[in-house]
Amino acid sequence: MSDARYDVIVIGSGAGGGSLALRLAPSGKRILIIERGEYLRRERDNWNPGAVFVDGKYQATETWHGADGSSFHPGLHYFVGGNTKVYGGALFRLRAEDFGEIVHADGVSPAWPLGYDAFEPYYTEAERLFHVHGLRGADPTEPPASGPYPYPPVSHEPRIQELCDALLREGRRPFPQPLAILLDEAEGRVLPHSACIRCDAFDGFPCLTNGKADAQIICIDPALRHPNVTLLTGAYVDRLETDAAGRSVTAVHVTRGGEKEVYRADIVVSACGALSSALLMLRSASDAHPRGLANGSDLVGRNYMRHNNSAFMAVSRRPNDTVFQKTMALNDFYFGADDWDYPLGGIQMLGKSHGEQVRAEVLPEFLSWLPDMPFDELARHSVDFWLMSEDLPRPENRITLGRDGRVTLAVEETNMEAHQRLKAKLEGMLDVMDVHPHLIPRSLYLGRKIPIGGTAHQAGTMRFGTDPTTSVLDLDCRAHGLDNLYVVDASFFPSIGAVNPTLTIIANALRVGDHLLGRMSAAR
């Protein structure tokens, strides 16, 4: 039992929780960050593709279930820094249009209750905070920005530059992928003091040299330099307790080292990730909140989104000796195509395949056109792509918690024709890029035994809005009907667009942080 009381408790230390904690740290207010995991151990296996992808060494070991009863390990990572410890660092802004209503073949992506202008200054600040390298204006779908990227784009290696040049000759608009990376380079050469060394273990790997701009390095460690900030690790939040009326959170119940502890604060913020935050609310059911905390609308856990994501490996006719491959993206089909009136999505380069990954994949029959090629050699010839299309929020797509603690994640695919059309667009460009016109699925990149799209881009389980009957959070991401409970992960998304959600999570956490600073200042 802890007798200490805090001004703010932040549950979770990933992109949202870390950014919020750093925003609040200079205020002098007593801040407690509660993290389920520990610091990720720096070890050789950080860069071992077999350990990371095949064995899933750093992935959560708990078992969840699909709606059909199948079991899987969610693609979650419980460490200081959260999922950003293994993210690919691609930090895109949502397009300005994504904040409005967008019609897809399978339905409508709803408008946000706040427009792009409300987030733009925070996007600019988030890019600066996370050392985003990019080139403003190169992406034809990029929304207006109040300033340039804070760092120049990560340079292409020769083979990727050739792909870009070939696409440009065909009238396409490839652009440098915006990356959160602690890289200092000149003329394509890494400078001696650079944390990032442009290795082949960035995308999906923990970074052994701390060269990835993740939430631990960028937010948590700097926040802890303030004496008013405390980090509690290995601490699982069992539930949130409210007063008898159910209007205010009065206690955070924690299990740490097998012992039960209780912490209290004036303001409590959940930043566990969209799935885990929803589960926390469901675990916190009480007489005042019988369906779960903040769940008067019965929307907690519903409208789950995760993008339609696919990882593919193409095979180059000649070796692709690129080391750091994740430098190019293409959004030419983001809003549609000449043969399709609806949005398709975006194409990004991925980190290079490794032989151990290829060996562990269930390889399709069409690999017969490359008989007897060793796996390591096949990986050496690989050119790797990530395809991302928007999926639509549906109430039936949801995470639920059974009375026995069983977690079920129900996902029914939406907008898959657009995703298949995007794949066809990429296949149609492979010959131009001097790549064999076939794509080999890389299922392990999404995590072992995870449903389509994985859970890395989890969003939407507690959408924000002005109407308590159709949303869970208000415009400041405070739970409707609860005076002191906020959420700053991707739970608040009403829709997800077709770009990585992390930059929007960071920007929103900074926005909510400003609101909380104003609230605490007014309460003096």
Side-chain angles (χ1 to χ4, degrees):
M1 176 76 69
S2 172
D3 294 326
R5 184 176 182 90
Y6 296 86
D7 295 295
V8 182
I9 289 177
V10 180
I11 306 168
S13 63
S19 299
L20 178 70
L22 183 62
R23 186 60 139 211
L24 301 181
S27 69
K29 298 294 184 179
R30 298 193 66 193
I31 301 163
L32 175 66
I33 306 165
I34 301 178
E35 169 53 49
R36 178 175 184 169
E38 304 286 352
Y39 275 88
L40 193 152
R41 181 179 176 183
R42 296 172 71 184
E43 57 186 355
R44 288 182 180 272
D45 275 353
N46 291 172
W47 285 354
N48 181 342
V52 172
F53 291 105
V54 181
D55 299 335
K57 180 174 182 175
Y58 302 105
Q59 186 178 316
T61 58
E62 63 198 282
T63 299
W64 289 1
H65 297 84
D68 60 358
S70 60
S71 62
F72 66 96
H73 298 309
L76 305 176
H77 301 83
Y78 301 135
F79 298 104
V80 177
N83 281 322
T84 67
K85 292 304 295 181
V86 297
Y87 78 154
L91 293 192
F92 286 79
R93 300 180 180 210
L94 282 170
R95 317 292 89 173
E97 294 86 345
D98 287 326
F99 289 86
E101 182 177 282
I102 295 182
V103 177
H104 293 269
D106 283 1
V108 174
S109 174
W112 288 42
L114 294 176
Y116 173 74
D117 288 349
F119 291 87
E120 196 287 325
Y122 294 104
Y123 274 135
T124 298
E125 189 170 354
E127 289 167 345
R128 184 167 60 250
L129 177 63
F130 275 75
H131 293 246
V132 178
H133 293 241
L135 181 62
R136 196 72 75 203
D139 175 359
T141 68
E142 183 183 50
S146 54
Y149 280 108
Y151 296 91
V154 179
S155 63
H156 298 312
E157 293 180 41
R159 184 69 178 102
I160 307 305
Q161 186 62 58
E162 290 177 3
L163 301 184
C164 287
D165 293 342
L167 290 170
L168 287 168
R169 287 194 296 270
E170 293 296 311
R172 301 300 176 195
R173 293 283 303 276
F175 59 91
Q177 193 166 169
L179 295 175
I181 187 169
L182 299 173
L183 172 68
D184 288 308
E185 62 175 352
E187 298 179 352
R189 296 175 64 88
V190 177
L191 298 177
H193 60 273
S194 177
C196 174
I197 60 173
R198 289 191 63 119
C199 70
D200 63 350
F202 180 84
D203 200 7
F205 292 86
C207 183
L208 189 54
T209 66
N210 288 335
K212 184 182 297 187
D214 63 46
Q216 176 220 318
I217 302 299
I218 297 298
C219 298
I220 298 298
D221 291 350
L224 291 174
R225 297 186 191 120
H226 295 260
N228 54 302
V229 179
T230 302
L231 172 65
L232 194 69
T233 62
Y236 175 74
V237 177
D238 298 295
R239 63 187 179 91
L240 304 179
E241 179 184 349
T242 69
D243 58 12
R247 296 285 299 176
S248 180
V249 175
T250 56
V252 178
H253 292 260
V254 171
T255 299
R256 184 166 68 111
E259 301 294 326
K260 299 294 184 180
E261 300 174 349
V262 179
Y263 296 88
R264 305 180 191 277
D266 296 335
I267 294 169
V268 175
V269 183
S270 182
C272 312
L275 294 169
S276 294
S277 280
L279 289 174
L280 174 58
M281 301 304 146
L282 297 174
R283 289 198 303 272
S284 302
S286 64
D287 290 342
H289 297 274
R291 291 192 293 192
L293 191 59
N295 200 23
S297 61
D298 192 31
L299 288 175
V300 170
R302 294 185 183 272
N303 297 301
Y304 168 64
M305 299 168 288
R306 75 279 180 264
H307 283 136
N308 295 325
N309 289 323
S310 296
F312 291 103
M313 179 179 73
V315 180
S316 176
R317 292 175 174 83
R318 53 192 173 87
N320 175 18
D321 292 322
T322 303
V323 176
F324 191 93
Q325 183 174 254
K326 190 184 175 76
T327 56
M328 183 185 79
L330 186 80
N331 275 341
D332 288 15
F333 310 108
Y334 194 92
F335 293 119
D338 53 5
D339 57 353
W340 182 249
D341 292 333
Y342 305 104
L344 272 66
I347 299 170
Q348 301 174 16
M349 301 297 298
L350 270 180
K352 283 279 281 131
S353 291
H354 295 78
E356 290 179 74
Q357 293 170 266
V358 177
R359 183 181 296 107
E361 302 278 4
V362 179
L363 298 177
E365 293 182 1
F366 61 67
L367 269 185
S368 58
W369 45 261
L370 290 170
D372 303 321
M373 179 177 280
F375 292 112
D376 287 341
E377 187 66 13
L378 184 61
R380 187 183 173 214
H381 284 255
S382 74
V383 182
D384 304 85
F385 300 94
W386 178 264
L387 274 62
M388 189 186 312
S389 301
E390 182 167 15
D391 63 326
L392 303 179
R394 300 180 69 250
E396 298 82 3
N397 285 350
R398 65 186 301 199
I399 190 166
T400 56
L401 181 67
R403 291 184 178 179
D404 59 355
R406 179 185 175 110
V407 176
T408 300
L409 184 60
V411 178
E412 182 177 330
E413 297 174 359
T414 66
N415 205 30
M416 285 304 295
E417 182 175 357
H419 196 62
Q420 293 304 321
R421 284 175 175 269
L422 182 63
K423 178 186 174 186
K425 292 296 184 185
L426 175 58
E427 287 178 324
M429 294 185 291
L430 293 180
D431 267 335
V432 172
M433 294 186 285
D434 191 29
V435 174
H436 200 288
H438 289 286
L439 292 172
I440 304 169
R442 278 182 58 181
S443 58
L444 278 183
Y445 189 84
L446 298 173
R448 293 181 62 83
K449 299 182 180 179
I450 297 176
I452 181 169
T455 53
H457 291 187
Q458 55 185 293
T461 56
M462 288 188 280
R463 59 169 53 174
F464 80 148
T466 57
D467 184 350
T469 67
T470 59
S471 60
V472 178
L473 309 173
D474 69 12
L475 298 188
D476 294 318
C477 290
R478 181 180 63 86
H480 290 302
L482 286 147
D483 177 64
N484 66 339
L485 177 61
Y486 292 79
V487 181
V488 295
D489 48 41
S491 300
F492 83 102
F493 283 39
S495 65
I496 197 171
V499 292
N500 312 58
T502 307
L503 189 70
T504 303
I505 297 171
I506 297 165
N508 184 64
L510 298 176
R511 183 183 72 90
V512 174
D514 280 353
H515 162 76
L516 291 178
L517 289 171
R519 170 176 171 160
M520 290 187 291
S521 177
R524 288 177 182 173

